[in-house]
Amino acid sequence: MVQNTPSLHREHMQLECLDGLVLSCLDEWQKKAGAADSAASLRQLIMQGHVQQAMSMLKAVCPQALQDLRLVFRLQRQQFIELVRNAGHSHEEDLRALACARDQLAPLALDAYPEAYCDFKKLLTLLLYAKTPDPDQPADVKEALDAGARQELAQIVDHTVRQHTGQQEPLLALLLTYLLRLYSLHMANSRASAMAQPGSEEQEQEKLVDALLGMGRDAAPLPPESGLGPSSFSEHDINALVHCAGCTRRDAVAALKRSNNDLLAAFKAELARLRLNKPLMHELLHEYVVYRGLHVDSPHESGGDGASAMEVDGGGAKEGLRESINRGGPCGTSSQQQQQQQQQGDADVMEVPWEGNCLGEVGASSCPSRANDAAVEGIGRLSVG
């Protein structure tokens, strides 16, 4: 997938900086694969319907998340739904569902949020219709029993935990997500004027972009409660987030509020909600490492979603890399120089003033094509300059 294209001018690319981003990304995913990724584990438990286990784990790894009664109510609501799914098989299961509604949901329904009591009353209808044929179920019952409800709650818990514990995606993953989004917008505008020829390079690029970046985005953490966080935001920042991250204005305001009006943190959080194909990205990074002569290793298991991909061994990946560089690989740099370049590359990327060079330019433009051009120029300075 990584090709030595003559048209790429190496003098305009800081490949050592890119090497550092790649190695840093692989290293972060290695650590997640070696240790338990609490956010991903919670997502998996909820998707499997083990809500009670997820709540116990959440209490252990991120107790501050349970201080939000809205989230607690949604978790208990899903637990009740899972009990209702199994109700009817035995009298004991029916009693467990009723006990959950009486002891857990009812007290929360009065204080969680203004509409919680109405939602609680609707939930009780599940006891009447859960075992009826699907066409006869009311819309509210179908929605509650749908697998999409599990998925949405799992995404909310996942991103809430990452927000509270400071877990972030590697910088390279965020940069790639942003570039893929910009390319998708560019191709969407190009299709209006001309269609790519079958089998052409443009069509192959479109296929790769579609494979790397999935449709839609994850559900965001619940917005801060009324009265918490900043109350006013710069219109410039809101527009920048809407154009750059592709979120709605409401999501942009909520992201700024959650980040305490930190534009860069809000931008990263919104990018992390986009669905990057991590297993495929692992394969691309592994091919890049081989192409650059940095390191060749066995397949690596994806961190984050638990999907399999190319693996880099957790114990000796970096040591093997340093040895290959010391033996005079294609990079032609010593291990100490490589480490300095990696650290300097990460620092250069992070120290770029995003608001002026990227987010600010995009937010200031009301024309989508001009916004995309400004964003491309800005992200180019972030990733290469």
Side-chain angles (χ1 to χ4, degrees), residues 45-92:
L45 283 173
I46 295 173
M47 288 296 296
Q48 294 172 350
H50 305 312
V51 181
Q52 195 61 47
Q53 295 180 33
M55 292 182 66
S56 299
M57 182 178 178
L58 185 60
K59 185 177 181 180
V61 301
C62 187
Q64 59 269 38
L66 294 176
Q67 295 177 3
D68 189 341
L69 294 182
R70 298 170 302 168
L71 182 60
V72 177
F73 180 82
R74 295 194 65 159
L75 285 165
Q76 292 290 1
R77 175 181 183 271
Q78 190 62 38
Q79 170 67 3
F80 174 73
I81 292 172
E82 301 300 341
L83 291 172
V84 169
R85 289 184 201 274
N86 299 322
H89 298 160
S90 68
H91 181 62
E92 182 181 351

Side-chain angles (χ1 to χ4, degrees), residues 204-215:
E204 294 301 317
Q205 290 175 349
E206 288 185 43
K207 290 181 180 178
L208 180 58
V209 170
D210 291 341
L212 276 169
L213 192 62
M215 297 292 292

Side-chain angles (χ1 to χ4, degrees), residues 2 14-30 170-173 175-176 281-290 292 294-295 300 312 318 321 338 342 345-346:
V2 180
Q14 294 184 359
L15 290 180
E16 290 81 6
C17 177
L18 183 57
D19 292 345
L21 289 171
V22 169
L23 295 176
S24 176
C25 183
L26 287 174
D27 183 55
E28 288 187 46
W29 276 342
Q30 269 180 233
L171 181 59
L172 180 61
L175 289 171
L176 179 60
M281 183 177 174
H282 265 280
E283 295 182 16
L284 290 171
L285 295 186
H286 180 78
E287 289 190 19
Y288 176 85
V289 165
V290 174
R292 289 283 289 157
L294 301 177
H295 187 58
H300 178 39
V312 178
K318 293 191 112 179
L321 170 63
Q338 181 72 19
Q342 176 179 344
D346 289 346

Side-chain angles (χ1 to χ4, degrees), residues 37 193 270 275:
D37 184 352
S193 57
E270 287 304 301
R275 294 166 181 168

Side-chain angles (χ1 to χ4, degrees), residues 3 15 41 48 57 77 79 107 170 179 194 226 246 266-267 304 325 338 348 369 373 380:
Q3 300 177 355
L15 290 180
S41 299
Q48 294 172 350
M57 182 178 178
R77 175 181 183 271
Q79 170 67 3
L179 287 170
S226 178
F267 181 51
I325 294 174
Q338 181 72 19
D348 290 343
S369 60
D373 293 341

